């Protein structure tokens, strides 16, 4: 399941891509934060209902936006968040990982 935020007719909306990735099915959430906050069962029911309704907008009809246009908190991604990843990364670029790390960062 690939969730998207898109612009259609001047309005932002949340949707789920069809299995072939060619269209977005609208979902009944105000924005991606509301979707994230909803119970998992509610999301599953909304996706099922969207598929049964058959309504889909071709990607050529919409403008894809950032998935979460206004995250509630910073999104932090670390490439070396586990010691095993550091060891694996060292195989490819030892210079960047010379400093020994006793704990994950």
């Amino acid at each position: 399941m690939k969730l998207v935020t898109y612009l259609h007719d001047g309005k932002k909306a949340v949707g789920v891509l069809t299995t072939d990735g060619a269209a977005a099915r609208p979902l009944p959430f105000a924005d991606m934060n509301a979707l994230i906050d909803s119970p998992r069962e509610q999301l599953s029911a909304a996706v099922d209902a969207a598929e049964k309704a058959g309504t889909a907008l071709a990607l050529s009809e919409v403008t894809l936006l950032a998935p979460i246009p206004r995250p509630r908190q910073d999104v932090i991604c670390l490439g070396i968040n586990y010691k095993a990843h550091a060891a694996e990364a060292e195989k490819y670029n030892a210079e960047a990982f010379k400093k020994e790390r006793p704990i994950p960062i």
Side-chain angles (χ1 to χ4, degrees):
M1 175 183 346
K2 293 182 180 179
L3 302 170
V4 294
T5 299
Y6 61 89
L7 188 65
H8 182 256
D9 288 339
K11 296 178 184 173
K12 289 182 185 178
V14 176
V16 60
L17 291 183
T18 56
T19 53
D20 63 2
R25 297 189 190 281
L27 294 176
F29 297 95
D31 58 23
M32 196 61 79
N33 286 319
L35 183 151
I36 291 167
D37 290 341
S38 70
R40 188 170 185 84
E41 299 80 28
Q42 186 178 356
L43 172 60
S44 295
V47 170
D48 289 344
E51 288 175 357
K52 287 178 185 170
T55 306
L57 300 165
L59 291 187
S60 61
E61 298 177 39
V62 302
T63 301
L64 292 178
L65 304 174
I68 308 174
R70 299 223 182 265
R72 289 199 181 116
Q73 63 188 31
D74 291 341
V75 177
I76 300 172
C77 302
L78 297 174
I80 308 171
N81 53 348
Y82 296 100
K83 194 171 183 177
H85 289 127
E88 180 183 10
E90 192 172 274
K91 295 176 191 175
Y92 300 100
N93 187 354
E95 293 298 317
F97 302 99
K98 277 193 172 183
K99 186 175 180 183
E100 202 169 285
R101 294 179 177 94
I103 59 171
I105 58 170

